[in-house]
Amino acid sequence: RLAVIGWAWCQASALAPPAGSHPLWSMSAEIRHGDPGAVTGHISLAPDDSVVAALRLLCYGLAFFLAFQWGRDERRARRTLQALVLAGAVYAVYGLAAHWGGSDKLFWFENSRYHTVVHSTFVNRNHFATYAGMVLLCSLALFYDTLQRHHAPAARMPAGRVPKGARVTTAGDRLEQFALLAWKPLLLVLLLTTALVLTASRGGFFSTFAGGAVLLVALSARRRLRSARSLAFIVLAAGMAAVAFWLTSEMLLDRLDRGGLEDNLRFAAYGLVTESSRDNPLLGFGYGTFADSFRLYRSDAITGYLDRAHNTYLENLFELGWPAALALFATVGAAFLVCLRGLRRRGKDWFYPATGLAVTVLVAIHAWFDFSLQMPAVAMTYAVIMGVACAQSYSSVDRHER
């Protein structure tokens, strides 16, 4: 990541040789002064934007580092995920209240279409869908671990309600104990799923579904799904999600019926971005400069203002060039592999790396169709989750040695 940040700074600096500078700089000098050396050349077409983008990436890296250090202790790691879930629930409540209340304002900013879909404090519904999906996966993982930590949750009543020395054996008592344990997590699942579906974000919904499937596969890989508690977790979580989907999916199904999963405008942009990247595959056009650089290549097939490629991978290749972009992708891939290793080797608390795998799949899939991961709120949340997940991917012995 530091290498990518360093390269972005080089793109914005005036240290690039004339042969590496974008031709528009020399053309600008000739037009203004008739002297090719009158204007300093840069690889980036918008150096200030490249600096800002590099600083943002540095902030995400620092958030990951701090979460990694903080999350070495399991109790603090748990509190971190719980805090993220609580914050996500607050955002979901605000978004649902604005949607069902018919509000036409985002705080004090007026938006006549704000109440048509749920996007909480996020300007774009797709960004909120990614955020809500990550928080939903965290809540599912915490719910599962809570059931596992209560070794006999259906066999005991809370302290003070059972006479001393008495044993609880009736099915009614077991059901009551399980309800006391599960109602809060299930309410969070219902709330977050409802908010997610009401975003009517096709990519957000299906990427979250894929992340949830990975989470269940990770749980199955540890051979814990045979227990009654695990089966109860799957049935109840899936049931709550199904109820929320059935009650609130009208807008999402309507979008799928009208447009399916295709978007001709986006696919046209993908083709142009891929083609234009070949003009400078090694150096790129400058990190964070897509809005300015892509204007040189847009055609009549692209209508409206396109300041993002709606594909994070293509946009990074366009801006950074292939070597730096692949290094950036490798950073995320390395974190994914650390979580995969932790899932296989941890004897306990392995649900943390499982969560890291699930949220990575979510953002990786959605990044093919949108740019949610380029939004600071989403990227920062992902960095914190992965920091905790990677920290808990090492056993206590490994962490002591490190």
Side-chain angles (χ1 to χ4, degrees):
R1 186 180 292 265
L2 289 177
V4 177
I5 295 172
W7 173 244
W9 278 91
C10 289
Q11 289 180 316
S13 71
L15 301 178
S21 299
H22 196 280
L24 280 183
W25 289 107
S26 60
M27 293 171 61
S28 175
E30 292 176 359
I31 292 174
R32 294 175 59 188
H33 305 287
D35 179 10
V39 175
T40 303
H42 306 269
I43 296 175
S44 172
L45 282 178
D48 292 342
D49 291 340
S50 295
V51 171
V52 171
L55 290 175
R56 283 183 178 177
L57 187 60
L58 179 61
C59 288
Y60 306 151
L62 290 175
F64 174 87
F65 176 77
L66 292 175
F68 184 89
Q69 300 301 324
W70 176 264
R72 288 172 179 266
D73 181 82
E74 194 279 329
R75 289 175 298 177
R76 291 186 295 190
R78 176 178 292 273
R79 290 195 208 106
T80 301
L81 293 190
Q82 289 174 340
L84 290 176
V85 171
L86 179 60
V90 172
Y91 282 115
V93 168
Y94 178 85
L96 291 172
H99 174 68
W100 286 326
S103 173
D104 59 352
K105 289 185 178 181
L106 173 58
F107 293 120
W108 53 87
F109 300 102
E110 293 197 10
N111 186 340
S112 60
R113 299 185 60 188
Y114 177 64
H115 65 278
T116 58
V117 294
V118 173
H119 45 89
S120 190
T121 60
F122 293 70
V123 176
N124 189 293
R125 62 183 172 190
N126 295 304
H127 305 159
F128 177 65
T130 304
Y131 174 81
M134 290 192 295
V135 174
L136 175 59
L137 293 179
C138 289
S139 67
L140 289 173
L142 287 170
F143 178 32
Y144 177 82
D145 185 65
T146 299
L147 292 181
Q148 291 298 324
R149 284 173 176 268
H150 290 71
H151 297 291
R156 292 188 291 273
M157 292 291 289
R161 297 191 58 182
V162 180
K164 185 176 180 180
R167 294 177 60 86
V168 179
T169 58
T170 65
D173 291 336
R174 294 179 181 178
L175 181 61
E176 183 179 354
Q177 172 64 22
F178 186 81
L180 290 173
L181 179 67
W183 76 269
K184 291 181 180 178
L186 290 178
L187 181 61
L188 285 174
V189 171
L190 179 63
L191 177 67
L192 292 169
T193 303
T194 300
L196 172 64
V197 174
L198 285 177
T199 63
S201 172
R202 297 166 294 182
F205 175 79
F206 285 105
S207 58
T208 302
F209 181 83
V214 169
L215 182 62
L216 291 181
V217 170
L219 301 181
S220 177
R222 293 303 303 262
R223 300 180 179 177
R224 299 290 182 88
L225 294 181
R226 298 176 183 177
S227 68
R229 292 184 300 277
S230 299
L231 291 176
F233 159 77
I234 294 176
V235 171
L236 289 175
M240 280 295 179
V243 169
F245 182 82
W246 179 68
L247 292 174
T248 60
S249 61
E250 182 178 355
M251 285 190 299
L252 177 62
L253 293 176
D254 181 62
R255 287 199 73 203
L256 289 174
D257 183 61
R258 288 186 288 106
L261 295 176
E262 295 183 359
D263 191 325
N264 294 329
L265 178 60
R266 292 188 185 184
F267 284 110
Y270 296 165
L272 282 177
V273 173
T274 302
E275 183 179 350
S276 58
S277 298
R278 297 170 185 168
D279 285 350
N280 202 1
L282 297 179
L283 303 181
F285 294 93
Y287 193 38
T289 67
F290 180 84
D292 296 314
S293 302
F294 187 66
R295 295 177 183 177
L296 304 174
Y297 297 95
R298 63 179 302 144
S299 66
D300 295 336
I302 307 299
T303 58
Y305 179 62
L306 192 68
D307 61 341
R308 301 285 182 178
H310 291 269
N311 184 309
T312 302
Y313 304 100
L314 292 180
E315 187 168 329
N316 285 336
L317 291 171
F318 178 87
E319 294 178 342
L320 289 169
W322 280 80
L326 292 178
L328 182 59
F329 303 156
T331 302
V332 180
F336 182 87
L337 292 177
V338 168
C339 291
L340 184 61
R341 174 182 177 273
L343 177 66
R344 298 177 59 183
R345 299 187 60 177
R346 285 302 310 266
K348 62 178 182 177
D349 299 327
W350 49 266
F351 82 95
Y352 290 105
T355 305
L357 294 176
V359 297
T360 299
V361 169
L362 188 162
V363 299
I365 292 177
H366 204 193
W368 278 105
F369 307 101
D370 220 295
F371 54 97
S372 296
L373 199 55
Q374 295 169 251
M375 296 297 103
V378 176
M380 195 71 73
T381 302
Y382 174 67
V384 171
I385 294 173
M386 289 303 293
V388 170
C390 288
Q392 288 297 316
S393 294
Y394 297 94
S395 66
S396 57
V397 176
D398 293 335
R399 291 197 294 271
H400 180 72
E401 292 176 352
R402 291 170 67 90

